[in-house]
Amino acid sequence: MRGLAEEFQESTNAIRKELNQLEEAGYLTKKSDKNKIFYRANTKHSLFKPLQNLIHTFLGIDEIVDHVLDKSGDIQSVSLIGDYAKGLDSGKIEVLILGEDLNQAYLLQLAAKVGVKLNKDIKLYFNLGPIEVHSINLFMK
């Protein structure tokens, strides 16, 4: 919360109030774990996909994503797992990719380039069986 407060130059109380309002409106889900509260986008909200598409279009990400998906094989889903999915900035970004005929060499090369740009270690996992981990779905076909 402190990070958001610094980023937006607001008090932590103001950030907490906004997060609670977004949760009450159904845009976010809230989960408590010991003395921490985790907020996530509510992917089941009826406006989640339209808002996600709007943001992607605004940032120009939609064209990049389309290009990457065309070259990557038949990707069914992409999920953020590990520390980042839990809201922890450990420097290691773990991504689970599920699909058919995946171009793993291309995806690994892309992950290495992105890792250098972000100054993060990016680890990709392909087609793992059912696992019980906290995840954030980034893409689903």
Side-chain angles (χ1 to χ4, degrees), residues 11-87:
S11 70
T12 54
N13 284 338
I15 298 296
R16 182 179 297 109
K17 182 178 176 183
E18 290 299 323
L19 289 171
N20 285 332
Q21 288 176 345
L22 289 168
E23 190 253 340
E24 288 171 13
Y27 292 105
L28 298 177
T29 60
K30 183 166 122 176
K31 180 181 174 187
S32 297
D33 184 17
K34 297 181 184 172
N35 63 342
K36 294 183 179 180
I37 298 174
F38 298 94
Y39 291 92
R40 289 181 61 173
N42 180 2
T43 58
K44 294 180 174 127
H45 192 282
S46 62
L47 292 177
F48 175 78
K49 278 287 187 197
L51 287 171
Q52 185 182 46
N53 290 337
L54 178 68
I55 291 167
H56 286 179
T57 301
F58 176 76
L59 296 175
I61 293 173
D62 57 333
E63 292 176 22
I64 296 167
V65 169
D66 288 344
H67 176 73
V68 169
L69 290 174
D70 287 344
K71 292 183 72 174
S72 300
D74 185 17
I75 293 179
Q76 297 299 312
S77 71
V78 178
S79 299
L80 186 63
I81 60 175
D83 288 345
Y84 274 84
K86 296 174 189 168

Side-chain angles (χ1 to χ4, degrees), residues 5-7 41 89 103:
E6 290 173 13
E7 180 76 24
D89 184 1
N103 186 343

Side-chain angles (χ1 to χ4, degrees), residues 82-134:
D83 288 345
Y84 274 84
K86 296 174 189 168
L88 305 172
D89 184 1
S90 66
K92 182 177 182 182
I93 300 172
E94 296 176 275
V95 179
L96 173 61
I97 302 173
L98 303 177
E100 301 285 327
D101 302 318
L102 297 175
N103 186 343
Q104 291 185 16
Y106 170 72
L107 291 166
L108 289 168
Q109 180 183 25
L110 189 63
K113 288 180 181 179
V114 171
V116 169
K117 291 261 186 212
L118 297 177
N119 196 28
K120 305 283 184 194
D121 178 29
I122 298 180
K123 174 74 174 153
L124 300 183
Y125 300 93
F126 300 100
N127 291 324
L128 292 179
I131 53 174
E132 293 292 323
V133 296
H134 185 79

